[in-house]
Amino acid sequence: MTMKHWKLEIDEQKVAHLTIDVAGKNANALSGDVILELKKALDQLSSESPAAIVIRSGKSSGFIAGADINEFETLNTESEAQDLIGKAHEVINQLDDFPATTIAVINGFCLGGGLELALACDVRIAVNQPATRLGLPEVKLGLHPGFGGTARSVDTVGVVKGMQMMLTGKSYSAYQAKKMGLVHEAVAERSLTKTIQQYLDSPVKKGAPGMKEKFMRSGPGRLIMSKIFAKEVAKKAKQEHFPAPYALIKLFKEHGGSKESFLEAEIASEASLIVSKESRNLVRVFQLSEMLKAKGKAVDYKAERIHVIGAGTMGGDIALWCALKGMTVTVEDFNLEALAATVKRAVKLYGKRFRGFDHLATAARDRLIVDSKGDGRASADIIIEAIVENLDIKQKVFAELETVAKPDAILATNTSSIPLEDIAAGMKDNTRLVGIHFFNPATMMPLVEIVSSKTTKAKIRDQASAFCVQIDKLPLQVKSAPGFLVNRVLMPYMLEAASMAEEGIAYETIDKAATDFGMPMGPIELSDTVGLDICAHVSDVLAEPMQLHVPKSIHQKVEEKKLGVKSGEGYYKYKGRKAIKSKNFAKPTAEMQQRLIDKISLEAQRCLTEGIVATDDEVDAGIIFGTGFAPFTGGPLHHNKYG
Ligand code: NAI
């Protein structure tokens, strides 16, 4: 039998080895074709009666990253979606019912449809390495598992863990997966053969669920549990914005008592989500991230040594992030305390990221080298400046850098408000300077603006974008103009909120207007989080070119040393990082919401018209990944066009 995406071999023990290696792709995804081939293989194996089937991936990138979501886009109606999912169900059920022992060997990503396939196997063995991640992240795409994963995950790890895994979309390491019962073993690569053999010799027997589990699966138990789940979900997501988790809870409530009924009902529920507007928009957001990554791969470029100047809030985090991602990093600051603070933050983050893999945490720490004298400047592939926001000082630094840096080194600034043309004015070769503008906190924010001045060479812009992809960030190419894209769209929105506050509208009402729309945080709380001193500075810089009205209250608060979260008070008072908000405030009106969101949409449109960002998709991508703009809308421009 010839197959494109699977390879089937039967060894002398009569064990069938079924390897998935999807043709022409870096990662395995389950498209209709791939599933159909699996069916052919299973049909053939049914007649050969193998002793066992071992399923693994032929790709080093991982097991299976999920269903092929690009295929979902081609489904126009619910019945087309039901048809596709129904066929996948048949094949996965066939695997589940296979008479011989079935073993999934999991390396790297095992997500969504990949984990659903593995859950249909009798045994799951995960390779214990940092790259191994297991999870059902469908909610992030406005879906729930659709290849039998709803019923099988609950069956495998129990109601609470199974539902939580699906409702949060969290992924787990091999060790965590073993602890929660999602896999039978988490072993080092070298022990795989021995472990597989153990399971071939003595297959597992599934234990019966305990009393508590039985109750949670009963009618009254499901009723109680669904209420608890719905309450938890409601804290984070509104049903009208994110229907998928609510659909999953309903599915569990109505069908969670029997595996067969759960499986059957999953098909219709998933099909209705696939064609929903919210899911289509969330899939679009995923595709936008892929688009940004693809743009970052326009040139073949790999940086090895990074030098960061300035170990403050931004520089420190940029340096430790690059070392985490495998680069050798020198971080320069004349302030030894800033360097020490960077190392402290690095050790904390590496300990968390590499939990259970101490040698990797130590290796990352070793790659981060403190450098009070700037010795690393001469050998770096990329130098990122993140010192004080002062033109004279930055100009001086870049004039010096030109004389010591390698001729092909990228010279980058993290400035948020100084035009690149001004910084480059003191350089002999102004084509070398590019902006690599990270957002705060740099370790968390996915977007990086790659800023080109009128003279920046396209090759350098593209290399800087490639570097961002290398460190798992999303590069957005923008032109040097006040505020670039993200700060430019945020500032009028935050100033509008400040004006509304001056008109006497309660802070809580203003913030609720924005969060009701789907913003992750209201503009008043956002201003406090960014810091009112920074807001005042950025609004001063942008006021003239953008003809903005800057409400007095911002500067007033700064004079009163009310800087926001960092000083314990801004607009709100803070307990730690938590704003103390009143519960008694007027409900926001539709007009208030419109006032705020219009500011973002209008500015987004202007950025497109002025060519700050090349395409409407890139504008939407930048605003979603840079501000958290309501993702289920597909972005401000998409939302304006399609509602
Ligand atoms: P920061 O004040 O926290 O850190 C600046 C660091 O640079 C300090 O540790 C200082 O000792 C050091 N430094 C100053 N001059 C130096 C020199 N000549 N050589 C070596 N070290 C020097 O500042 P922050 O907030 O990290 O900002 C840095 C840059 O990043 C600025 O250009 C800012 O506009 C930009 N930025 C800041 C963001 C933020 O939210 N804080 C967000 C995005 C960009």
Side-chain angles (χ1 to χ4, degrees):
M1 184 175 53
T2 52
M3 291 193 290
K4 247 170 78 185
H5 309 299
W6 295 84
K7 201 169 77 193
L8 176 59
E9 285 167 334
I10 301 185
D11 68 17
E12 60 282 3
Q13 281 189 74
K14 276 198 85 182
V15 174
H17 296 270
L18 199 47
T19 305
I20 177 168
D21 193 355
V22 174
K25 301 270 178 191
N26 292 331
N28 291 325
L30 294 179
S31 64
D33 274 359
V34 174
I35 292 174
L36 212 68
E37 271 194 9
L38 173 61
K39 178 170 173 43
K40 279 193 205 159
L42 292 174
D43 286 346
Q44 179 181 333
L45 285 171
S46 300
S47 60
E48 296 193 10
S49 311
I53 304 177
V54 178
I55 299 181
R56 64 175 96 206
S57 163
K59 295 201 196 288
S60 57
S61 62
F63 183 66
I64 299 170
D68 183 349
I69 53 163
N70 294 323
E71 207 169 60
F72 290 178
E73 260 194 326
T74 63
L75 303 168
N76 295 315
T77 62
E78 229 171 297
S79 92
E80 278 176 29
Q82 282 206 27
D83 200 41
L84 181 94
I85 305 166
K87 285 193 182 120
H89 263 243
E90 274 175 36
V91 183
I92 308 259
N93 289 346
Q94 192 178 350
L95 178 66
D96 195 353
D97 297 337
F98 203 85
T101 299
T102 49
I103 302 178
V105 178
I106 297 159
N107 65 307
F109 286 117
C110 174
L111 300 172
L115 180 55
E116 294 183 85
L117 185 143
L119 282 167
C121 293
D122 301 316
V123 181
R124 286 165 294 287
I125 302 171
V127 181
N128 193 17
Q129 60 189 23
T132 298
R133 302 300 300 176
L134 298 96
L136 295 169
E138 286 86 346
V139 277
K140 294 182 182 165
L141 296 175
L143 304 168
H144 57 55
F147 291 174
T150 55
R152 290 195 180 92
S153 63
V154 167
D155 253 12
T156 306
V157 295
V159 171
V160 174
K161 286 187 219 150
M163 288 295 284
Q164 273 173 352
M165 168 163 69
M166 292 186 277
L167 291 171
T168 59
K170 260 193 203 158
S171 68
Y172 303 88
S173 67
Y175 171 75
Q176 289 168 322
K178 161 85 172 101
K179 222 169 120 192
M180 68 195 275
L182 193 58
V183 298
H184 297 79
E185 300 291 345
V187 298
E189 185 129 34
R190 62 176 183 281
S191 312
L192 265 183
T193 313
K194 197 174 96 199
T195 311
I196 295 170
Q197 191 58 48
Q198 277 166 4
Y199 281 90
L200 292 176
D201 294 341
S202 48
V204 283
K205 284 191 193 71
K206 218 176 159 232
M211 288 292 286
K212 199 166 144 199
E213 196 60 31
K214 268 193 189 150
F215 173 71
M216 285 192 282
R217 301 283 300 256
S218 72
R222 294 203 307 274
L223 209 62
I224 296 172
M225 293 312 293
S226 327
K227 281 198 184 130
I228 297 176
F229 293 137
K231 211 169 145 196
E232 276 308 299
V233 169
K235 284 185 198 159
K236 298 217 173 89
K238 289 188 178 38
Q239 186 159 7
E240 65 264 36
H241 297 159
F242 294 99
Y246 295 92
L248 174 64
I249 294 169
K250 181 167 179 276
L251 187 65
F252 167 74
K253 186 170 94 184
E254 290 171 5
H255 302 276
S258 112
K259 182 178 170 185
E260 286 67 34
S261 159
F262 208 162
L263 284 175
E264 184 61 37
E266 181 196 87
I267 300 174
S269 174
E270 175 73 342
S272 81
L273 291 174
I274 286 180
V275 296
S276 71
K277 190 172 94 185
E278 292 77 13
S279 173
R280 291 259 141 111
N281 283 340
L282 290 169
V283 169
R284 166 181 158 78
V285 173
F286 171 78
Q287 287 165 337
L288 290 176
S289 74
E290 294 294 299
M291 173 194 76
L292 293 184
K293 280 187 221 161
K295 273 211 119 176
K297 288 178 189 155
V299 290
D300 192 15
Y301 176 79
K302 210 162 174 223
E304 276 163 20
R305 292 190 78 101
I306 310 295
H307 184 75
V308 180
I309 309 181
T313 311
M314 296 306 293
D317 276 9
I318 296 167
L320 65 88
W321 182 258
C322 292
L324 174 84
K325 292 293 163 184
M327 290 160 193
T328 302
V329 183
T330 39
V331 51
E332 174 187 339
D333 203 305
F334 43 61
N335 178 348
L336 298 184
E337 277 171 27
L339 289 174
T342 298
V343 172
K344 205 170 153 195
R345 293 208 298 279
V347 168
K348 197 168 161 206
L349 181 73
Y350 301 162
K352 228 161 100 183
R353 285 293 174 115
F354 295 117
R355 188 165 290 145
F357 302 96
D358 290 352
H359 63 292
L360 296 177
T362 308
R365 167 65 194 89
D366 288 349
R367 287 193 295 269
L368 181 68
I369 302 156
V370 295
D371 177 5
S372 60
K373 301 211 170 63
D375 294 336
R377 293 179 173 197
S379 50
D381 300 320
I382 303 185
I383 302 179
I384 304 172
E385 167 276 313
I387 60 171
V388 280
E389 191 73 337
N390 175 301
L391 175 61
D392 290 343
I393 303 178
K394 286 195 199 282
Q395 272 184 343
K396 198 166 153 269
V397 165
F398 278 98
E400 273 169 28
L401 282 179
E402 255 188 324
T403 63
V404 292
K406 292 198 293 188
D408 60 349
I410 294 177
L411 305 183
T413 174
N414 187 48
T415 182
S416 27
S417 61
I418 305 178
L420 258 68
E421 287 79 3
D422 294 353
I423 300 177
M427 294 171 74
K428 283 200 200 81
D429 179 4
N430 60 7
T431 65
R432 284 183 84 175
L433 184 73
V434 66
I436 302 187
H437 183 229
F438 288 81
F439 293 90
N440 189 9
T443 51
M444 309 271 285
M445 294 295 286
L447 191 80
V448 175
E449 288 174 328
I450 303 295
V451 190
S452 293
S453 75
K454 290 191 188 78
T455 55
T456 306
K457 262 198 204 123
K459 183 177 159 201
I460 290 175
R461 174 201 66 200
D462 290 346
Q463 287 176 333
S465 304
F467 155 71
C468 283
V469 177
Q470 209 185 330
I471 57 166
D472 287 332
K473 296 283 178 194
L474 301 172
L476 176 79
Q477 296 181 354
V478 300
K479 280 197 190 145
S480 174
F484 313 133
L485 174 74
V486 173
N487 287 341
R488 175 163 163 184
V489 298
L490 275 181
M491 202 33 72
Y493 160 75
M494 284 152 83
L495 294 182
E496 187 70 10
S499 297
M500 286 162 78
E502 283 185 8
E503 288 165 25
I505 304 172
Y507 302 150
E508 289 86 349
T509 305
I510 301 168
D511 278 349
K512 183 97 180 14
T515 53
D516 277 353
F517 177 79
M519 300 303 283
M521 185 185 268
I524 297 285
E525 195 176 347
L526 179 66
S527 305
D528 276 352
T529 306
V530 169
L532 294 182
D533 51 340
I534 294 185
C535 286
H537 173 72
V538 179
S539 53
D540 285 346
V541 173
L542 296 181
E544 203 196 292
M546 289 176 66
Q547 298 178 345
L548 292 173
H549 161 68
V550 183
K552 282 197 199 90
S553 63
I554 299 181
H555 285 91
Q556 233 163 24
K557 297 245 179 232
V558 176
E559 274 162 32
E560 292 164 16
K561 305 250 176 318
K562 292 178 180 168
L563 306 182
V565 180
K566 61 184 160 193
S567 69
E569 185 176 352
Y571 287 107
Y572 293 110
K573 284 198 170 107
Y574 286 82
K575 205 171 166 195
R577 294 192 65 82
K578 202 169 160 35
I580 303 166
K581 292 187 183 179
S582 159
K583 289 206 166 61
N584 295 319
F585 58 89
K587 261 175 75 176
T589 62
E591 189 212 338
M592 290 174 190
Q593 189 176 79
Q594 193 78 30
R595 255 180 93 172
L596 290 169
I597 303 304
D598 275 359
K599 287 284 170 193
I600 295 185
S601 309
L602 201 71
E603 214 48 51
Q605 187 57 49
R606 283 191 187 130
C607 287
L608 180 68
T609 313
E610 291 171 25
I612 307 299
V613 176
T615 63
D616 49 358
D617 278 352
E618 283 167 276
V619 171
D620 277 346
I623 294 173
I624 292 171
F625 299 119
T627 73
F629 187 92
F632 53 85
T633 63
L637 297 183
H638 185 82
H639 182 60
N640 267 3
K641 227 193 262 173
Y642 302 105

